[in-house]
Amino acid sequence: MSVLSIIAFAHRIAEETPVLDKDGHVTTHSWILPETAEIIYGGISSLLIFFMLFKFGAPAIKKSFAARTEKIQKELDAAAADKSAAATEAATIRQAKGDIEGERARLLADAATQAAAVLEDGRVRLAAEVVDLEAKGVTDIASAQGRVGDELRAEIARLSSAAVDHVVTGSLDDATHQELIENFINRVGAGS
Amino acid sequence: MSDNRIEGYARGLFEIARAEGTLDVVEDELFRFARSFESSDSLRSALTDEQIPPAKRQAIIEDLLGGKASATTTQLVAMVVGSGRGRDLPAIVNNLVARASSVKHQEVAEVRTAVALTADQQARLGAALVKATGKQVNLKVVVDPSVLGGIVATVGDTVIDGSVRTRIDQLKSRL
């Protein structure tokens, strides 16, 4: 059935005499269904609208869906890329963490080695210093002993000298002077 | 002072003393005065101080030697000190004594003792030195308390040391 026959059918129905109630008011022939013409016109209009929607709205909707799909795909791709980057980053971080652990272990090992070396050097140096100090102490003691001995000898010599001066000058009376002079004269005269 | 000037002064003093006929006495007195001059810092500074007028320095000489030494000795010393040559007095006197000894064909024998020698001791010591050195000696005795005791005799380059001072020094050295 063509559209024109449908329209003609609808027009003929529309020309039908309306049904009136006892008060003269126009009434429908069914308490639930509209008038036949209204159904036909409404149906045609609905079909027309559906057609228009299908004709003009569907491409836009398709396009919209396609765009949305593309956008979602892009977002999925981006999310996948982000996931991949995150995984790479995580791997890098895990590697870095592993490197840090290795570096930490290496540093700790180096520190332990250096500490051991420093400790050993310190022990050796201290031992050498102790030996030097002992030697210096022995030398100082010997030097002090020598110095004290020298000072003692010098003091004894000084006191002895003073004592000799005092004793000799005190014992040189006139008789001794004359004896010394006579001895000198005799010795010189006899020594020729 | 140069050697020539010292020698000139010594020759002048020598000729004056010889002309006066008191050479032996003068040289002996000058020798003893020179030794006192050397050993006394105060005397040396007083007689060599250029700030003291020559007349005053000569007056000091007069005070020191007047009545104790011959007039010739006093005048000769005063002349040397007054002419500003006091510093060279010992050298001048030594030169004079050497000159006098040379004239007498003697060697100067400087004898230092702690106490004065008697004339007899001087004579015997002179004879002993002549015997020991083989030279005629012109004995010059200097009383030097630093000798402490005994005698130190110097004849030319020969030193005969019998002093207590030297023995004490040797003992100190050993100590």
Side-chain angles (χ1 to χ4, degrees):
Chain A
M1 184 170 52
S2 66
V3 174
L4 290 177
S5 60
I6 291 171
I7 291 171
F9 177 73
H11 183 68
R12 194 170 53 248
I13 291 173
E15 287 178 345
E16 290 177 351
T17 305
V19 178
L20 300 175
D21 61 8
K22 60 184 179 178
D23 294 328
H25 296 135
V26 176
T27 59
T28 59
H29 62 280
S30 171
W31 62 275
I32 191 166
L33 292 174
E35 294 300 324
T36 305
E38 189 177 342
I39 291 172
I40 292 170
Y41 286 127
I44 292 169
S45 298
S46 296
L47 289 174
L48 191 61
I49 288 169
F50 285 141
F51 175 76
M52 295 296 285
L53 283 175
F54 181 78
K55 182 69 176 179
F56 300 105
I61 291 168
K62 280 184 180 179
K63 188 177 180 182
S64 171
F65 281 150
R68 187 166 180 270
T69 302
E70 187 179 359
K71 181 183 175 188
I72 290 170
Q73 187 61 46
K74 282 182 180 176
E75 287 177 356
L76 287 175
D77 292 344
D82 288 344
K83 183 182 176 185
S84 176
T88 305
E89 186 70 16
T92 305
I93 289 170
R94 276 194 293 275
Q95 184 180 1
K97 185 183 174 189
D99 291 344
I100 288 170
E101 289 295 329
E103 185 68 13
R104 175 172 168 271
R106 191 184 64 76
L107 288 174
L108 286 175
D110 285 350
T113 305
Q114 289 180 0
V118 168
L119 190 62
E120 185 60 25
D121 285 348
R123 282 178 182 155
V124 171
R125 192 172 62 251
L126 281 176
E129 286 179 359
V130 166
V131 170
D132 288 346
L133 285 174
E134 284 179 353
K136 186 174 181 299
V138 170
T139 306
D140 288 347
I141 289 170
S143 174
Q145 284 177 338
R147 191 169 58 250
V148 169
D150 290 344
E151 289 173 355
L152 191 60
R153 278 190 289 275
E155 186 64 15
I156 290 171
R158 190 185 65 77
L159 292 173
S160 301
S161 297
V164 165
D165 278 345
H166 184 70
V167 169
V168 171
T169 53
S171 63
L172 283 174
D173 55 9
D174 190 57
T176 308
H177 279 300
Q178 295 305 319
E179 186 181 350
L180 288 169
I181 290 168
E182 291 301 329
N183 286 343
F184 182 82
I185 293 170
N186 293 334
R187 184 164 55 85
V188 171
S192 59
Chain B
M1 186 189 279
S2 67
D3 290 345
N4 287 340
R5 194 169 292 176
I6 289 172
E7 193 171 338
Y9 270 86
R11 190 167 59 245
L13 298 184
F14 172 79
E15 294 300 339
I16 291 171
R18 189 161 68 172
E20 291 290 333
T22 56
L23 181 59
D24 289 345
V25 174
V26 168
E27 69 154 319
D28 190 56
E29 291 174 344
L30 285 175
F31 184 84
R32 282 188 278 127
F33 182 78
R35 299 293 83 79
S36 299
F37 179 88
E38 284 177 332
S39 61
S40 171
D41 290 339
S42 57
L43 177 62
R44 195 165 56 250
S45 61
L47 297 182
T48 57
D49 189 352
E50 299 292 336
Q51 304 298 322
I52 299 174
K56 194 165 184 177
R57 278 181 272 159
Q58 289 175 326
I60 293 171
I61 298 297
E62 294 287 344
D63 289 342
L64 283 173
L65 298 180
K68 297 175 188 173
S70 67
T72 305
T73 300
T74 305
Q75 288 168 4
L76 290 177
V77 173
M79 182 193 74
V80 172
V81 171
S83 61
R85 305 300 179 191
R87 201 178 302 277
D88 299 311
L89 184 63
I92 293 170
V93 170
N94 288 343
N95 193 294
L96 181 147
V97 172
R99 183 179 292 274
S101 300
S102 178
V103 167
K104 291 183 282 188
H105 304 289
Q106 293 176 334
E107 188 85 20
V108 177
E110 183 181 304
V111 174
R112 290 181 177 272
T113 63
V115 296
L117 298 180
T118 64
D120 176 58
Q121 286 173 331
Q122 288 190 33
R124 286 190 287 117
L125 178 59
L129 290 173
V130 168
K131 199 174 175 183
T133 61
K135 299 172 184 176
Q136 294 299 312
V137 296
N138 181 6
L139 200 65
K140 300 297 178 190
V141 179
V142 179
V143 177
D144 183 358
S146 69
V147 173
L148 292 182
I151 296 174
V152 180
T154 305
V155 183
D157 295 332
T158 304
V159 177
I160 306 171
D161 195 338
S163 69
V164 173
R165 175 80 273 160
T166 301
R167 292 182 187 178
I168 288 177
D169 288 343
Q170 289 171 346
L171 180 59
K172 285 180 179 177
S173 236
R174 280 202 294 275
L175 286 174

